[in-house]
Amino acid sequence: MPASQYTVSDVMTHTAVAVGRKASYKEIVEVLHQWKVSALPVLEGEGRVVGVVSEADLLVKEQFRHAEPAPAERPDALFKAGAVLAEDLMSSPAVTVHPAATVSEAARIMARKGVKRLPVVNDVGMLEGVVSRGDLLKVFLRPDEEIESEIRDSVLGELTPPVHVECSVDEGVVTLLLHRRSDSGLVPLLARAVLAVEGVVDVRMRLGETVVTAS
C-alpha cells in the first residue's frame, strides 16, 4: 500500500539566509534578529555549508561573562566565549539534510541531534535552503478532503481483494468503518498504511458499531 511521501523540498524555505566564515559576532546577531531565526548556515566558496552558528553558540559569551566555565566545560567553552568570527563560533561539521529526504527522516534527524533547523544541501554540500520544525509541521495543514481522497485511492483502492471500508476524516483524525467481522484481520495493516499518509493525526477503526484497537 503506497503512502504519500512529502520530501524536504516540498516544505523547506528555498530562500535561505546564511553568513560567511568571516562574519563577525555582531553581524551574526543582527542577521538572526532581522530574519527572526535561531541559527544560520555558515558558507564558504560558492555556497558550501561548513557549519552552523546558533543562538546557543553565541550565548556562551554571555554565559561566562562573569564566571569561569567548570572544568568539564573547558576548553571549548573558553574558546567560544572568546570567539568573534563565525568560523570559530560555529558547530562543525553541520547537521544537514538532503532535499529528497522525507519529512519523517528530517524530523528524526532534528530529534536525534536536538536542533530546530537543518540546512538543506545537495550532493556536493551546496546550500539549497533551510527546513525548520515549523516547516515539517506543514503536512498537518493538508485539508481533510485531500487526506481522505489519498486514503481512498492509495490505501483502500489497493486492497486485494477489494474490501468495503467507509472512510471519513475530521481535523486529521481518520475513522475507518469495516462492516464485516471477517475483515477484522485487516485492522493492523490498514492502521499502519493510513498512519503513513502525510497529515494524518490519528486513526480510529470501527467494526460495525464496535471500536477496534488499531495497535
Side-chain angles (χ1 to χ4, degrees):
M1 295 182 185
S4 54
Q5 288 288 301
Y6 273 53
T7 66
V8 168
S9 64
D10 294 323
V11 298
M12 73 183 193
T13 301
H14 290 265
T15 303
V17 58
V19 294
R21 297 184 69 116
K22 300 300 182 181
S24 69
Y25 186 101
K26 188 170 183 178
E27 179 185 350
I28 297 167
V29 174
E30 289 173 343
V31 174
L32 289 173
H33 178 74
Q34 178 183 351
W35 290 90
K36 303 295 188 294
V37 294
S38 59
L40 296 167
V42 180
L43 310 181
E44 71 175 5
E46 297 298 316
R48 187 169 66 86
V49 177
V50 293
V52 172
V53 61
S54 68
E55 291 171 334
D57 295 320
L58 298 171
L59 279 172
V60 174
K61 187 178 293 293
E62 191 64 26
Q63 180 182 354
F64 298 117
R65 184 177 297 278
H66 301 294
E68 285 289 317
E73 296 171 312
R74 300 172 180 167
D76 187 59
L78 282 173
F79 179 76
K80 285 200 173 185
V84 295
L85 297 178
E87 63 184 0
D88 298 321
L89 290 158
M90 69 184 185
S91 299
S92 181
V95 180
T96 63
V97 68
H98 193 273
T102 66
V103 168
S104 296
E105 289 169 341
R108 286 194 292 271
I109 293 172
M110 285 186 184
R112 187 171 65 250
K113 297 296 185 179
V115 296
K116 300 177 181 179
R117 297 164 61 83
L118 291 171
V120 183
V121 300
N122 62 19
D123 293 335
V124 293
M126 305 293 283
L127 183 67
E128 294 198 353
V130 171
V131 65
S132 68
R133 290 175 176 174
D135 291 329
L136 299 184
L137 289 173
K138 289 177 184 177
V139 296
F140 292 103
L141 298 176
R142 295 184 74 189
D144 289 339
E145 297 78 9
E146 183 179 314
I147 296 172
E148 181 177 335
S149 177
E150 178 171 344
I151 291 171
R152 291 185 184 279
D153 293 342
S154 300
V155 178
L156 304 182
E158 296 294 321
L159 291 174
T160 304
V163 177
H164 179 57
V165 182
E166 293 184 30
C167 173
S168 61
V169 184
D170 182 29
E171 295 294 308
V173 177
V174 179
T175 300
L176 298 180
L177 175 60
L178 292 81
H179 292 278
R180 299 183 308 181
R181 288 196 170 274
S182 59
D183 294 330
S184 61
L186 291 172
V187 168
L189 177 65
L190 286 173
R192 287 194 299 272
V194 170
L195 285 171
V197 174
E198 300 287 8
V200 170
V201 175
D202 195 10
V203 58
R204 297 169 183 172
M205 310 289 291
R206 291 183 176 273
L207 185 59
E209 295 301 317
T210 305
V211 177
V212 182
T213 303
S215 59

